[in-house]
Structure formats: C-alpha cells, structure tokens
Amino acid sequence: MSNHVITGIIVLIAILQLWTAVRSIPLGVAFYISVAGLNYFSVWLWSTWTLDRICGVILILAAFGTRRRIGAKHSGKELTPLFLYGIVITLLGMLVWPYDSVVGQSIAYTTLRGPVQILNWIIMLGVARVIAGAIRTPDDLNLIRRFVFATALTLSLYGIYQFVAMGAGLPTTGMRRPAQDIFSEGSGEQHATFKLGSRLMPRPDGLAGEPKGFGGLCVLWLAFIGSSLLDRKANKRTERKKYLAIVPQIGRASCRER
C-alpha cells in the first residue's frame, strides 16, 4: 500500500476519533480501543507516529475539553506518583543511554529520545485514565464491546486471508517500518514467517504491525469476550453494578503495574 494512501487513512481515522470523542467520551473510547492497535498505519514525522499516539492525544484533549465544559472535577490524582516516576526515570536514563549505538541519525532516537519517551508515557497514562473514567454504566461497557467484537471479527478474518495470501502469493499487506534513516527506503513491506520442518509458514499480523502485536490484540479481544460471559451470569441488577464498579479499578491497577 502506498504511503499516500496510508497517510490518507490515518487522517481519516484521526478525524473519526475527534468526531466520536466530541459526541461522547465512551464512544470515543470505544473507537480508540478498536483502532489503537492498527500499527500498520503509521507515519514518520520526526518520529514514528502510530494510531495509539495520534488518536490518544485527540482522545485526551477531547476528554479534558468535555470536563471543562460541563464543570466536572478532574480526578486521577492517584496517578501523579506514576507520572512523576516515568519522567524522573527517563531523565536519569538519558545520562547513560548509549546514543552512539543507534543506527541512523534521526534526532528522535538520539537527542530527543528522552522527550519522546516522556511524551509516550504521558499519552499512555492519559489514555488509561480516560478509559477508566469512561465506563460508568452497563451501556458504556456494552458500547465498547460492540466496537471490539466488530474489530476482532474483521481483523481476524483479514489475518486468515493474510495466511492464505502469503502462502499462495496473493496481494496482501506486510510489516511497515517508516523510520527515517534507519531502514533502507527500498526494502518495502516485509512478511514474517517461521520454519516448520522444511517449509516456511506465514505469520499474519492483521494490520497490527507485527505478528506479536496481532497476538496481543487477540488477548485483549479474548478478555472482552470473557467479560461478556461473566456479565451474562450477573443477572441481578445489583450484581451487574458491582461488576461494573470494579472495571475502572482494574484499569488503574494495570497502569500502576506498568
């Protein structure tokens, strides 16, 4: 797929992220969870920008603007130590990072490596806080599930097609690395394989950038499917409320573990 087409798709997804987040934060979160893992769609702008970063910034700004407009309190002070930890550990790491060993001359991987890492940290925790705060009712969770199920089905079917296409020589996407001055421009997209006996077996990535990323998305999708099975057992209204009440706490706990 050409870089111009990929850039156009990224712009379209960013616009849709803004539109969904402005309509409602739960809708914006549902859309974000569906597209954030599509690392095939990435663009080089002083550094590699993927959809989790681009849409993450949009979602955070939209949530901040919504809270200011309705006068809601900005909760999440419990994450402040984690924010400070990421910044401090990055600043200390900058003192010993082996910049000379980096392939290529991009300042994003040398001089600006520290600020870029801090920005990634802020986006990650900011999005986690928005997601944790967006799930307040059963309808919010069910909305996210519907988006996730549709995404899981679509990308899984495409992953099956990739497996067949790579083995049969049919057109399909591969792994992209749009990193300036780090990889050769003529290398193009690459297809991952593994050797099984004397045969090379394809490893589909389902637009996740790499096969391991696709595997990570599958784990996320299975978690949502598992939560829906648990929810079916919670028939009583009080039990459903208790179940939904712990979801934001799980989100915060996962952030602390990182």
Side-chain angles (χ1 to χ4, degrees):
M1 192 178 297
S2 70
N3 289 332
H4 295 295
V5 173
I6 291 173
T7 301
I9 293 175
I10 292 173
V11 172
L12 176 61
I13 292 176
I15 293 173
L16 291 174
Q17 178 66 78
L18 178 61
W19 181 76
T20 54
V22 169
R23 284 180 61 89
S24 76
I25 296 303
L27 181 60
V29 166
F31 183 81
Y32 175 83
I33 293 177
S34 298
V35 302
L38 304 182
N39 288 330
Y40 174 82
F41 300 103
S42 55
V43 63
W44 178 265
L45 186 61
W46 301 294
S47 180
T48 302
W49 283 82
T50 49
L51 290 176
D52 59 329
R53 299 177 184 176
I54 298 171
C55 294
V57 171
I58 295 172
L59 182 63
I60 293 170
L61 293 178
F64 180 78
T66 299
R67 289 176 180 174
R68 289 197 62 181
R69 187 174 66 252
I70 65 177
K73 294 182 179 180
H74 296 274
S75 57
K77 292 182 179 179
E78 67 276 6
L79 289 178
T80 301
L82 193 56
F83 271 106
L84 296 177
Y85 163 79
I87 295 174
V88 171
I89 201 68
T90 301
L91 294 175
L92 293 176
M94 290 171 62
L95 301 176
V96 295
W97 283 341
Y99 294 112
D100 295 339
S101 64
V102 177
V103 178
Q105 302 300 320
S106 172
I107 61 174
Y109 295 93
T110 54
T111 307
L112 295 181
R113 181 179 176 184
V116 168
Q117 185 64 31
I118 291 174
L119 177 62
N120 290 337
W121 184 261
I122 293 174
I123 294 173
M124 180 187 71
L125 291 182
V127 168
R129 184 65 193 93
V130 173
I131 293 175
I135 305 174
R136 296 300 183 187
T137 68
D139 289 338
D140 294 335
L141 184 57
N142 289 332
L143 174 65
I144 295 173
R145 281 174 177 159
R146 288 196 295 270
F147 270 74
V148 170
F149 292 163
T151 302
L153 178 60
T154 302
L155 295 186
S156 295
L157 290 175
Y158 181 68
I160 295 174
Y161 168 77
Q162 278 186 309
F163 182 84
V164 175
M166 284 190 282
L170 298 174
T172 184
T173 57
M175 297 185 296
R176 294 180 64 251
R177 296 183 176 90
Q180 181 178 312
D181 296 332
I182 294 182
F183 297 96
S184 61
E185 296 180 0
S187 60
E189 297 182 14
Q190 301 173 343
H191 297 293
T193 59
F194 70 94
K195 195 169 185 179
L196 182 62
S198 60
R199 184 178 179 184
L200 289 178
M201 300 295 293
R203 296 175 60 206
D205 58 77
L207 296 179
E210 292 187 13
K212 61 182 179 183
F214 189 39
L217 287 179
C218 289
V219 172
L220 174 66
W221 299 333
L222 288 173
F224 272 98
I225 294 173
S227 71
S228 67
L229 296 177
L230 290 174
D231 201 25
R232 290 181 182 179
K233 296 181 180 180
N235 294 321
K236 295 182 180 179
R237 189 178 183 87
T238 55
E239 290 177 338
R240 286 174 62 86
K241 287 183 177 179
K242 290 179 181 179
Y243 170 63
L244 288 169
I246 67 171
V247 174
Q249 305 303 324
I250 294 174
R252 296 189 185 98
S254 64
C255 290
R256 293 191 186 101
E257 291 175 358
R258 292 181 186 180

